[in-house]
Amino acid sequence: MSEHVVVEREQGLLTLRLNRLDKKNALTRAMYSAMAETLVQADQDPSVRAVLITGSEDCFTSGNDVADFIQAPPSGLGSEVFQFMLALFEFGKPVVAAVSGPAVGIGTTLLLHCDLVYVSREAILKMPFVNLGLCPEFGSSLILPRLLGHARAAELLLLGERFSGAQAAAWGIANQALDDGAATLAKAREMALRFQQLAPSAVADSKRLMRAPDREQLRRVIEEEGALFGQRLRSPEAIEALTAFMQRRPADFSRFA
Ligand code: COA
């Protein structure tokens, strides 16, 4: 289990709290593995009624660890990140997220696979995949245009435009925007604990029905995105962008045709 993911239990609620603040909760392979393993176990454990994913009061996550992307780019379905996202995608019980501060890259993508999302008004969400020479991941190229329309999704996915927690709530990516990190976590926790009082298999059946219509198409898109993402990570464009981030300079794509 990674020291950077804290697992807490309160009645039937299992909380995964990202805890790598010196790197803005950037997600390493060890963190993905810990979260994947916890989710798989929680799905089998009848005493777990819901899962809450959160970061700290001023930072959800800065996304995939960029150094990991350079040194050990994930490839294929066996990679740690894919195992985590797959565990989230397959998870049969409700998943609630509490988001404050930055939610970058996969930090925003994973919200699309949660059931209830609470954000602080000032949270900053963005999916800078193209900016990093990459492409959308884990179903976002299908989910976001459907949810937001092509034009708005294009701003987010092609330009990597940032958006606030308030916008996320207005657009239906989140349920509600709250005043600050503490209020956001309190609300998410309150809503997640409600599942304790509900009939667990009725909740699970209903979640499955709600997710069913898009499931197979989503699976195909996820595989296609995953293969392309893996190729793109090794592309000269992505290497330039990721190296530029580590060197704290803007990426220079001028030499690419
Ligand atoms: N991977 C690895 N390290 C990261 C990181 C990431 N995704 N995000 C931040 N860090 C590190 C920084 O390198 C810095 O490390 P250092 O103190 O050893 O130099 C530390 O975390 C603090 O980050 P910094 O950028 O100085 O904080 P900030 O408050 O100015 O900005 C963010 C915070 C989240 C807005 C900014 O770090 C950011 O945009 N990161 C996103 C990186 C990214 O593109 N992720 C998407 C991958 S798909």
Side-chain angles (χ1 to χ4, degrees), residues 22-24 26 62 64-66 69 102 104 126 132 245 248:
D22 59 328
K23 296 291 180 188
K24 301 284 171 182
S62 58
N64 201 98
D65 188 280
V66 171
F69 260 167
V104 186
K126 60 177 174 171
L132 290 170
F245 175 81
R248 292 186 174 268

Side-chain angles (χ1 to χ4, degrees), residues 2-253:
S2 167
E3 61 186 303
H4 296 132
V5 177
V6 179
V7 180
E8 292 159 340
R9 265 305 282 272
E10 179 185 9
Q11 304 170 51
L13 178 61
L14 185 144
T15 297
L16 285 172
R17 183 163 54 80
L18 307 175
N19 184 36
R20 192 183 176 220
L21 268 179
D22 59 328
K23 296 291 180 188
K24 301 284 171 182
N25 291 336
L27 296 166
T28 60
R29 288 176 293 150
M31 290 165 79
Y32 288 127
S33 288
M35 292 192 290
E37 203 177 303
T38 306
L39 284 178
V40 169
Q41 283 170 9
D43 219 9
Q44 304 302 319
D45 179 348
S47 71
V48 174
R49 296 299 181 93
V51 164
L52 173 62
I53 302 180
T54 191
S56 59
E57 278 190 12
D58 59 1
C59 182
F60 187 58
T61 171
S62 58
N64 201 98
D65 188 280
V66 171
D68 258 13
F69 260 167
I70 296 172
Q71 284 151 21
S75 65
L77 309 187
S79 65
E80 292 85 350
V81 57
F82 201 86
Q83 289 300 306
F84 162 62
M85 287 302 284
L86 200 60
L88 182 61
F89 183 69
E90 301 288 359
F91 198 67
K93 304 173 190 184
V95 182
V96 182
V99 178
S100 312
V104 186
I106 197 160
T108 293
T109 305
L110 74 84
L111 303 179
L112 306 175
H113 298 280
C114 293
D115 300 292
L116 301 173
V117 176
Y118 297 92
V119 285
S120 71
R121 232 179 283 291
E122 309 298 331
I124 296 166
L125 298 91
K126 60 177 174 171
M127 291 164 286
F129 299 116
V130 168
N131 315 61
L132 290 170
L134 301 169
C135 66
E137 57 173 3
F138 227 87
S140 53
S141 66
L142 178 67
I143 298 170
L144 280 174
R146 280 195 182 167
L147 189 61
L148 308 178
H150 181 85
R152 184 163 282 158
E155 280 185 345
L156 307 189
L157 289 177
L158 300 185
L159 290 173
E161 285 279 283
R162 55 158 66 183
F163 56 106
S164 68
Q167 283 168 310
W171 295 342
I173 293 174
N175 293 75
Q176 190 180 340
L178 294 113
D179 283 343
D180 54 30
T184 303
L185 181 58
K187 180 72 185 180
R189 185 182 150 272
E190 177 202 327
M191 300 307 269
L193 280 168
R194 283 216 205 160
F195 290 105
Q196 181 83 16
Q197 315 304 330
L198 293 169
S201 64
V203 171
D205 281 349
S206 303
K207 170 168 174 164
R208 188 169 39 74
L209 285 169
M210 287 169 70
R211 298 277 185 187
D214 290 339
R215 201 108 183 122
E216 288 319 309
Q217 191 185 5
L218 201 46
R219 247 184 241 286
R220 283 195 296 277
V221 171
I222 287 169
E223 276 180 26
E224 191 182 341
E225 288 169 336
L228 198 55
F229 197 97
Q231 285 168 27
R232 294 220 53 88
L233 262 177
R234 292 156 178 82
S235 71
E237 289 177 357
I239 290 166
E240 159 58 18
L242 296 169
T243 310
F245 175 81
M246 296 308 280
Q247 295 173 349
R248 292 186 174 268
R249 63 171 173 83
D252 176 6
F253 299 116

